[in-house]
Every structure is written in structure tokens, then in C-alpha cells.
Amino acid sequence: MKILFATNNAHKIAEVSSMLGNGFSLITPREAGVTEEIPETQPTIEGNALQKARYVHERTGLDCFADDTGLEVAALGGAPGVRSARYATEGHDFDANLRLLLHNMEGVTDRRARFRTVIALIWRGEEYTFEGIVEGEITRTPSGAGGFGYDPVFVPEGASCTFAEMTAAEKNAISHRGRAVAALVRFLHEQCGIR
Ligand code: ITT
């Protein structure tokens, strides 16, 4: 079955396509003729996920889903949160965001943080949402070259290295996105009678 993933982020496409399993293949917005940046102007993660899914659904009529993710740092009152992609600049500059986060965490002893993903699905004309959360801590310096975004500074609970030091499969098994995608896949399997 083909399903459209409403994202401009190639890292997310790589992660999610490896988790969807047999029976599903992803279509990108570009393949469906949506080449512009998909707007995300809502004040919440849920709102942005729905906005992205609706935007692409309205233009293609295809079943589709979108992921919105935020890194919520306890000592920063939940920032960068919904602004995670645009924390340092309006552009999606992963390096600048990471540097600003470490700068804002200098001298801070409470390092607790969590990633939260909301996936919004538009399926046969109805809207559904699925959430995935992983708790963890922000390191003092970046380590690892895998993953993307804030992965080099995030150590998930129970692990001894950052997401960027894990293989893709290790990250997906415990990550915010992995958990949200697992819920999405359960739903789609039920809907399609796949065991
Ligand atoms: P789309 O909206 O096109 O899907 P995006 O990069 O703008 O892509 P988000 O709005 O969800 O995605 O932005 C969240 C930002 O948080 C993203 O740009 C990364 O910097 C970061 N992020 C998201 N998922 C992450 C992950 O699994 N690991 C580390 N950082 C992540």
C-alpha cells in the first residue's frame, strides 16, 4: 500500500521507511507534485502535525501522514519545543540549533529533556493522531555522527550513549518517532486486516 509522508526532512523519510515494514511504501510530497515547503505555523506540536498533513492532503487527495517533533528541555521551560527546527534561525540549521541549546544549558545541572513526536494521519478522509515520547538527558558536548538534529546531545533514559552514537535500528527501537510510528503501523495493519 502506498501512503504519502508529508515532510521536507530526508532524515525522517529514511527513518520511517525503515520502520514501516513490508506492505507499505512511502510517497514523498515531491513525487506527488508538492514541491514547496510545507507550512508549519501552529503554536503546538499537534497543531503543526495536523497542519502539514492537511496541507498535503488538500493538494493531492492521497491518504497521508505528517510528523512534528519537539525537544522539550525541563530547565528551559519546555523549549525549544514546537520551535525545535527554528530555534536559532528561521532556516532549519541543525548545527546552529545545537550550539544555541548547549549555550543556553551552560552551567545548568538539571539536564532532563524529552523528545515528543506527534504523527497526524489523514486516512480515508478521517484524522487520527499518534504520540511517541522518549525521556533522557542533554549532554555537555556533542558526540556521534549518526542520526540528525539534536541527536548528538541527547542520551535516552537507560542508555549510555547519545542517539547519534547508535545505529539507526537501535535509535528507532526506543525513539519518540519509533514509538509514534509503531502506533501508526498498528492502526494501519488493523485497518487493512494485516497481521
Ligand atoms: P518537516 O516539518 O518537513 O517534517 P522538520 O525538520 O521541520 O521537517 P520538525 O518541524 O518536526 O521537522 O522539526 C523538528 C526539529 O527537531 C528538526 O528540524 C530537528 O532539528 C529536530 N528533530 C526532529 N526529530 C529529531 C530526532 O529524531 N532526533 C534529533 N532531532 C530531531
Side-chain angles (χ1 to χ4, degrees):
M1 182 208 319
K2 291 187 179 217
I3 187 158
L4 195 153
F5 184 10
T7 182
N8 295 310
N9 184 325
H11 299 282
K12 289 186 182 177
I13 292 181
E15 282 190 4
V16 172
S17 55
S18 76
M19 286 184 271
L20 276 184
N22 294 337
F24 296 100
S25 66
L26 286 184
I27 308 173
T28 64
R30 184 167 291 277
E31 286 164 347
V34 180
T35 53
E36 68 274 23
E37 182 134 342
I38 303 165
E40 42 183 321
T41 54
Q42 297 304 303
T44 62
I45 290 174
E46 291 77 3
N48 271 342
L50 279 164
Q51 182 182 23
K52 291 187 271 193
R54 285 174 188 155
Y55 182 89
V56 173
H57 179 70
E58 278 161 16
R59 280 155 186 79
T60 65
L62 297 172
D63 290 330
C64 72
F65 67 94
D67 158 319
D68 201 64
T69 296
L71 175 67
E72 300 174 338
V73 180
L76 301 178
V82 70
R83 291 200 43 84
S84 291
R86 290 155 282 129
Y87 191 36
T89 70
E90 278 308 308
H92 291 46
D93 184 337
F94 290 159
D95 289 342
N97 288 339
L98 204 143
R99 278 199 305 276
L100 179 61
L101 175 68
L102 288 181
H103 173 75
N104 289 343
M105 294 290 285
E106 268 169 30
V108 174
T109 49
D110 176 3
R111 313 292 298 184
R112 289 171 303 135
R114 63 182 197 169
F115 274 115
R116 192 159 75 87
T117 291
V118 174
I119 289 178
L121 170 72
I122 302 182
W123 174 255
R124 297 176 180 163
E126 299 288 329
E127 295 180 348
Y128 304 87
T129 57
F130 307 91
E131 187 182 55
I133 291 176
V134 61
E135 306 282 345
E137 290 199 346
I138 303 298
T139 58
R140 287 173 199 279
T141 51
S143 359
F148 67 100
Y150 300 95
D151 280 344
V153 297
F154 185 84
V155 176
E157 217 167 55
S160 52
C161 65
T162 68
F163 268 154
E165 295 174 292
M166 296 182 183
T167 64
E170 285 167 347
K171 177 185 171 188
N172 291 341
I174 56 170
S175 78
H176 45 301
R177 182 164 302 100
R179 289 172 178 166
V181 170
L184 169 73
V185 167
R186 273 196 299 278
F187 173 85
L188 290 174
H189 280 189
E190 265 168 38
Q191 290 286 311
C192 300
I194 301 173
R195 285 161 184 263

